[in-house]
Amino acid sequence: MRQVYLDYAATTPVHPEVQRVMGKYFNEVYGNPASLHAMGQEAYGAVEDVRATIADVLGSQSEEVLFTSGGTESDNCAVKGVAFALREKGNHIITSSIEHHAVLEACYFLQKNGFDITILPVDRYGIVDPDDVRKAITRSTILVSIMHANNEIGTIEPVEEIGTLCRERKVYFHTDAVQSFGSLNTRVDDLNVDLLSLSAHKFYGPKGVGVLYVRKGTRFVPLLHGGSQEFGKRASTLNVPGIMGLGKAVMLARDEQTSRVGHGMKLRDRLIHFITQSIEDTQLNGHPKQRLPNNCHVTIKNIEGESMLLKLDAVGIEVATGSACSSESLEPSHVLIATGISPVDAHGSLRFTVGRLTTEDDIAYVEQHLPRIIEELRIVSPFTKK
Ligand code: PLP
């Protein structure tokens, strides 16, 4: 059966060149970068080269790039790391209602431990109003964390503007750029951020490795205590093969950014156009223009997304009903609810995310099967007026 993978926001296949680079560091150069012998030092040198490359792409200094185990750890380290470091100065943190659970749950944890958390609303497209951030900042605000682009509906947030006003008010600003890296400009001085999270598996790198950028001078307490790796900010032996894969994936994302974005937009726009124009009672979620180039998120009224997902899967089409991380939960997506979508419509939503291996034929295959599946489900749907 044909397989059409349209869940690139959940994860991406590892690029063959990334795999090739990693192999060497499993089999030949397996030394610990903290070891003083030649093999350890070779691994150390290779890791530092990757750090310099990532710093170059982010427009930062090498010492500001920390390797982590992925987006979840980077987000947790950013939020809790600043919170615990600045506890004496203040206890107020501002975030938004559409953040990834890695930020929201870290904030809820802090709330249970005496911090004051403000969760800002979004408009119907999922956009945070910078003016709301401005009004929410008080004398005890120590951190603002607003994502660069949303993982479910693909909406791009006005982070440059939010970063500027945080700087004016001398409040640290963190952005989760896990979904935007490789598609949008993530240079830290353009975004005006103090902390930024990345995850390799979202841009054809391996799972379990990521980056936390921490601007020099930012007060920060490590989450993991132990050895003095990562400038004393993150203990644990470095995941050398993962870091080497991450480095290659970053270089490929940089070199192929224009072609990947162009390719994604063409296929995404074809999908959006097809679904919203030729299938009745459908609507695009997220912002029509300020959205990630590979994201098509739609509500298909009067049907459950889970039934559609299973029927699509039966013909080899792999999509998501909401955030990949909550795909086992039957709670309606917090992101869709935050944009004002009803719980029933939230359940009838599908996320299609295209990637570098998606073809026009793949989209044609969706166009061939989706209308039939929707029609079959609408006939038996209890929501359909008979
Ligand atoms: N932040 C966003 C916006 C994400 O989309 C994800 C993953 O879905 C994460 C954080 C978590 O990243 P990881 O899977 O590397 O822990």
Side-chain angles (χ1 to χ4, degrees):
M1 186 175 57
R2 190 185 175 115
Q3 187 197 21
V4 175
Y5 182 75
L6 295 172
D7 203 11
Y8 281 80
T11 197
T12 57
V14 174
H15 195 293
E17 284 188 47
V18 168
Q19 248 185 74
R20 191 177 47 75
V21 169
M22 290 176 73
K24 177 174 168 194
Y25 293 87
F26 281 118
N27 306 314
E28 295 167 41
V29 189
Y30 47 81
N32 186 326
S35 297
L36 294 180
H37 48 66
M39 188 166 59
Q41 288 304 293
E42 189 180 343
Y44 172 81
V47 164
E48 291 314 306
D49 285 349
V50 169
R51 202 188 300 279
T53 303
I54 296 174
D56 186 50
V57 172
L58 295 179
S60 74
Q61 297 174 25
S62 284
E63 316 84 83
E64 298 175 316
V65 172
L66 308 182
F67 295 115
T68 67
S69 65
T72 300
E73 185 189 327
S74 296
D75 285 347
N76 270 267
C77 282
V79 174
K80 296 178 195 164
V82 167
F84 288 124
L86 292 188
R87 205 169 195 161
E88 302 304 305
K89 181 171 181 264
N91 72 340
H92 182 223
I93 295 172
I94 300 170
T95 188
S96 84
S97 51
I98 54 140
E99 296 302 308
H100 190 271
H101 288 298
V103 166
L104 281 176
E105 292 296 329
C107 287
Y108 294 143
F109 166 81
L110 290 171
Q111 197 169 37
K112 283 195 203 111
N113 285 276
F115 285 86
D116 180 17
I117 310 292
T118 297
I119 299 184
L120 296 176
V122 291
D123 69 9
R124 68 191 177 107
Y125 299 121
I127 293 187
V128 176
D129 184 347
D131 221 41
D132 286 347
V133 179
R134 190 192 314 276
K135 287 182 202 142
I137 294 177
T138 67
R139 291 219 333 244
S140 53
T141 307
I142 49 175
L143 178 72
V144 172
S145 179
I146 304 289
M147 69 200 320
H148 194 192
N150 183 265
N151 46 301
E152 292 189 47
I153 54 177
T155 297
I156 299 167
E157 300 297 335
V159 288
E160 296 87 344
E161 214 179 321
I162 296 171
T164 308
L165 71 93
C166 287
R167 187 148 298 167
E168 281 164 15
R169 302 290 294 271
K170 295 194 171 39
V171 172
Y172 288 150
F173 179 43
H174 165 248
T175 198
D176 175 336
V178 165
Q179 290 288 338
S180 58
F181 184 80
S183 299
L184 308 180
N185 173 9
T186 48
R187 291 181 75 79
V188 292
D189 285 344
D190 293 340
L191 300 185
N192 301 313
V193 292
D194 301 297
L195 303 110
L196 176 141
S197 307
L198 300 180
S199 176
H201 75 99
K202 306 292 186 179
F203 51 93
Y204 310 99
K207 293 168 183 59
V209 62
V211 165
L212 176 63
Y213 157 80
V214 184
R215 190 177 289 277
K216 212 171 177 170
T218 303
R219 303 246 320 265
F220 177 86
V221 167
L223 216 64
L224 301 184
H225 296 95
S228 60
Q229 291 93 349
E230 300 302 272
F231 318 104
K233 294 194 170 93
R234 198 263 183 187
S236 184
T237 300
L238 294 179
N239 168 9
V240 180
I243 291 167
M244 298 314 293
L246 161 71
K248 187 71 195 174
V250 164
M251 285 192 257
L252 290 165
R254 176 195 59 195
D255 298 345
E256 296 174 6
Q257 178 162 345
T258 310
S259 60
R260 283 186 194 176
V261 168
H263 176 70
M265 278 172 90
K266 203 162 112 215
L267 300 177
R268 172 202 73 176
D269 289 345
R270 175 171 167 180
L271 250 179
I272 292 178
H273 187 263
F274 176 78
I275 296 174
T276 55
Q277 300 301 308
S278 60
I279 303 178
E280 269 184 32
D281 289 330
T282 52
Q283 84 182 31
L284 179 69
N285 299 318
H287 196 279
K289 295 214 168 64
Q290 287 292 105
R291 70 185 303 125
L292 286 173
N294 74 334
N295 176 295
C296 163
H297 194 294
V298 285
T299 293
I300 296 168
K301 301 228 180 209
N302 305 328
I303 320 188
E304 277 178 0
E306 290 74 23
S307 322
M308 269 185 294
L309 183 137
L310 294 178
K311 286 220 171 220
L312 286 167
D313 196 32
V315 293
I317 301 170
E318 292 159 330
V319 301
T321 48
S323 167
C325 312
S326 66
S327 61
E328 283 170 15
S329 150
L330 279 179
E331 283 290 299
S333 142
H334 69 284
V335 174
L336 297 179
I337 297 297
T339 62
I341 292 178
S342 71
V344 170
D345 283 351
H347 275 304
S349 299
L350 289 181
R351 180 186 69 184
F352 299 83
T353 40
V354 301
R356 56 182 283 276
L357 301 178
T358 313
T359 62
E360 295 276 2
D361 280 353
D362 289 337
I363 306 301
Y365 189 71
V366 175
E367 291 169 353
Q368 182 194 334
H369 287 281
L370 187 63
R372 173 186 56 78
I373 288 172
I374 291 174
E375 206 182 310
E376 283 170 13
L377 287 171
R378 277 187 174 157
I379 288 171
V380 295
S381 166
F383 302 120
T384 310
K385 291 190 198 85
K386 301 248 165 45

